Amino acid sequence: MRFFFSLKTPLQPTFFLSAVRSSTTTTTTTSHPRLVRFNSLRSYSDSFDSALRYPASMAIPPPIKSVVALDSEVGLAKRFWIKFRTESVLALYTPFVLSLAAGNLRIETFRHYIAQDVHFLRAFAQAYELAEECADDDDAKLSISELRKAVLDELKMHGSFVQEWGSDLAKEGGINSATVKYTDFLLATASGKVGGVKGPGKLATPFERTKVAAYTLGAMTPCMRLYAFLGIEFKALLDLHEGSHPYRKWIENYSSESFQASAVQTEDLLDKLSVSLTGEELDIIEKLYHQAMKLEIEFFSAQPVVQPTVVPLIKEHNPMEDRVIIFSDFDLTCTVVDSSAILAEIAIVTAPKSDQSQPENELARMSSTELRNTWGHLSQQYTEEYEQCIESIMPSNKVDEFKYGDLHKALEQLSDFEKRANNRVVESGVLKGLNLEDIKRAGERLILQDGCTAFFQKIVKIANVHVLSYCWCGDLIRSAFSSGDLHELNIHANEFTYKESISTGEIVKKVESPIDKVQAFKNMLSNCSNDRKNLTVYIGDSVGDILCLLEADIGIVIGSSASLRRVGTQYGVSFVPLFPGLVKKQKEYVEGSYSWKGLSGILYTVSSWAEIHAFILGC
């Protein structure tokens, strides 16, 4: 059914929700799979109604760009790290980093990396030296001096790596292009060749010199924070009894208290040096920070990993032998808000007022007041009965092992409930009288999750993609993806019936329940030719997706639906964060000895589409 909203608690209008979400915000849900509260619409219904009726007004205002909404006391460096956290995710999923974490990175690749990192660290030490010359504050000079000393100590550690693994840096080849790009960028910044300032030796005022020091720290801080982040991530996965991990020393260094303190010290110094800068100059630091993050990912990606890896997924499968098929849910998997809430908005704001007479040649509709009250009643009834249904299908005790058959049987009850709820919606008449053009314009401006469109734009070129949705109106989904020029997606959803482009209130029911979804999933696979093996990936976020998630070779859960986890856990389903899950797979990966397969009882969890993109497609 998929419409959950409360008419009791005023919130931001659903079309403007992106204005209060940061680029790193993940989809979350309460115990209801689709609890979406929306405004009573009184404050903006007139303007929305006008926009829908007059296409020239752009129908619905375009979404406001995502912002990082943080407390003003949070420092500049921390704000940048959060804003550009996507890049840190991309680093985790590079073949080099994943293999290093798993401990089966080939030694020749590690030797090459160490040789490149030595060049990198020498540039770092030189940049700190230049920054120290520019700093006009004794405390800042001392901090930079301490950080430079830490880099020199890190170089000594690399020397011990060379001795331990018998590497000869002179024989490891020259500096690769990714290393050169970062070191040239860093040293150019430290020399003042950015933002219109002159070189350090020609700076006339202490302020100009401090500005160059701040720019330099802006180009160095993300590297320190990224290594500190990777160190902690790796340490969390390091088996205490796994004394044989060949790169334990590397992990322990970057997860150590001393390195973590150096990363914090670098961030604090950037904050201090930036205090007196203008907004324009802070924008320059932000660009330098982001550029440094991207160059660091390029540095990791450039390491010559020749061994088999589980990432990116698409690379490890021969298109002549394997057919990759991507399946995805739509509501709150791809979208920021539930589609039913959008349809409710359109219905209410385009409905006639109570005192308005309706033309005889138009379908009779409820007034906006009647619609609002009816939607509220349907929503409340659904929410209460959904909770009761979930309680009724839960086993009295958590099962000891995954039992797909028991879960499937339990969800048949949920499926019956969903179909009854849909019947109530149709019988109520709330979907009657919606204009197809209004629906399409709303879909075109529907806000999708960050990274969702970019992922689909790339994956459709190399894989079959299907969207399976409970949405009542497939036209809304098609319009939502059309704004990203995604016309190749196969949409499987329910459909409105129309009379001269006006909805009759009836629904052509195709996908109403978990059972319908999994049956559609199986039907699509059965229609594939037998010339190649299928590798299926399903991406979803709710209880309605769980059967498809489990049937797929790889089931990926995005967001944090409490009801999905509760039901799954009680039936023996394991929820594993994707990166640790891939590290485990990489440990098992000997050429030809690993495989993905459905009905394993394991689902992989992610917080964003960036993780999905990095896993399947790479950086």
Side-chain angles (χ1 to χ4, degrees), residues 467-485:
V467 176
L468 279 167
S469 176
Y470 283 178
C471 179
W472 293 320
C473 182
D475 290 308
L476 186 71
I477 300 177
R478 285 184 283 273
S479 297
F481 286 121
S482 69
S483 60
D485 199 28

Side-chain angles (χ1 to χ4, degrees), residues 16 24 128 148 150 179 219 340 346 360 394 439 461 477 563 581:
F16 306 117
T24 57
Y128 273 135
R148 182 171 180 272
T179 306
S340 55
I346 299 172
E360 293 183 2
M394 297 293 284
I439 293 170
K461 298 176 182 178
I477 300 177
S563 56

Side-chain angles (χ1 to χ4, degrees), residues 100-113:
L100 179 61
N104 58 10
L105 180 71
R106 289 184 181 173
I107 190 63
E108 57 267 28
T109 301
F110 187 73
R111 286 172 178 165
H112 178 85
Y113 156 73

Side-chain angles (χ1 to χ4, degrees), residues 7 28 81 105 122 140 176 182 186 200 211-212 239 285 311 320 354 358 374 415 457 466 517 523 540 545 566 569:
L7 297 179
T28 57
W81 171 250
L105 180 71
R122 287 171 180 165
N176 67 30
Y182 198 128
L186 180 58
K211 183 164 63 174
V212 170
D239 191 331
I285 293 180
V311 294
M320 300 300 293
S354 301
Q358 299 183 46
T374 304
S415 295
Q457 285 173 336
H466 298 268
K517 266 196 172 184
N523 290 343
D545 298 308
R566 184 180 171 213
T569 300

Side-chain angles (χ1 to χ4, degrees), residues 208-223:
E208 286 180 319
R209 297 172 67 83
T210 299
K211 183 164 63 174
V212 170
Y215 287 169
T216 304
L217 266 293
M220 301 174 80
T221 300
C223 176

Side-chain angles (χ1 to χ4, degrees), residues 191-203:
S191 299
K193 298 175 183 178
V194 65
V197 298
K198 303 175 182 178
K202 302 178 182 178
L203 298 176

Side-chain angles (χ1 to χ4, degrees), residues 189-409:
T189 303
S191 299
K193 298 175 183 178
V194 65
V197 298
K198 303 175 182 178
K202 302 178 182 178
L203 298 176
T205 66
F207 176 73
E208 286 180 319
R209 297 172 67 83
T210 299
K211 183 164 63 174
V212 170
Y215 287 169
T216 304
L217 266 293
M220 301 174 80
T221 300
C223 176
M224 293 291 290
R225 174 47 56 198
L226 183 58
Y227 268 81
F229 165 73
L230 293 177
I232 293 298
E233 289 290 315
F234 288 7
K235 184 178 180 181
L237 300 176
L238 193 63
D239 191 331
L240 295 176
H241 305 292
E242 192 179 8
S244 61
H245 194 296
Y247 308 115
R248 176 182 285 272
K249 186 175 180 180
W250 188 97
I251 295 172
E252 289 177 342
N253 175 71
Y254 290 109
S255 62
S256 67
E257 290 184 5
S258 60
F259 189 84
Q260 297 294 318
S262 291
V264 172
Q265 187 178 6
T266 307
E267 292 172 327
D268 290 344
L269 186 58
L270 174 59
D271 292 345
K272 181 177 181 179
L273 293 172
S274 304
V275 167
S276 61
L277 301 187
T278 65
E280 183 179 352
E281 289 159 348
L282 292 177
D283 286 342
I284 291 174
I285 293 180
E286 180 177 330
K287 291 176 182 177
L288 291 170
Y289 189 105
H290 192 202
Q291 178 67 7
M293 282 285 283
K294 290 189 289 187
L295 289 172
E296 187 67 56
I297 306 309
E298 191 173 335
F299 175 77
F300 285 135
S301 298
Q303 302 311 311
V305 179
V306 295
Q307 69 196 76
T309 60
V310 297
V311 294
L313 180 70
I314 207 73
K315 179 183 177 182
E316 292 303 313
H317 289 272
N318 185 343
M320 300 300 293
E321 299 178 359
D322 301 313
R323 179 190 298 109
V324 177
I325 309 177
I326 306 294
F327 296 88
S328 177
D329 176 45
F330 181 67
D331 286 313
L332 298 187
T333 294
C334 297
T335 66
V336 170
V337 294
D338 191 88
S339 62
S340 55
I342 304 300
L343 295 170
E345 283 190 48
I346 299 172
I348 292 172
V349 300
T350 60
K353 300 294 187 286
S354 301
D355 57 351
Q356 288 181 331
S357 60
Q358 299 183 46
E360 293 183 2
N361 61 340
E362 289 188 8
L363 290 172
R365 298 184 64 188
M366 285 185 276
S367 68
S368 57
T369 300
E370 291 174 316
L371 271 173
R372 186 177 289 111
N373 292 336
T374 304
W375 277 112
H377 173 71
L378 289 169
S379 176
Q380 182 178 359
Q381 184 178 7
Y382 182 97
T383 302
E384 292 173 354
E385 293 184 7
Y386 175 83
E387 288 290 353
Q388 294 168 8
C389 187
I390 291 294
E391 288 296 330
S392 70
I393 67 174
M394 297 293 284
S396 55
N397 296 305
K398 180 182 175 181
V399 299
D400 296 328
E401 59 183 21
F402 171 56
K403 294 184 177 180
Y404 179 80
D406 291 350
L407 177 59
H408 190 287
K409 186 173 181 61

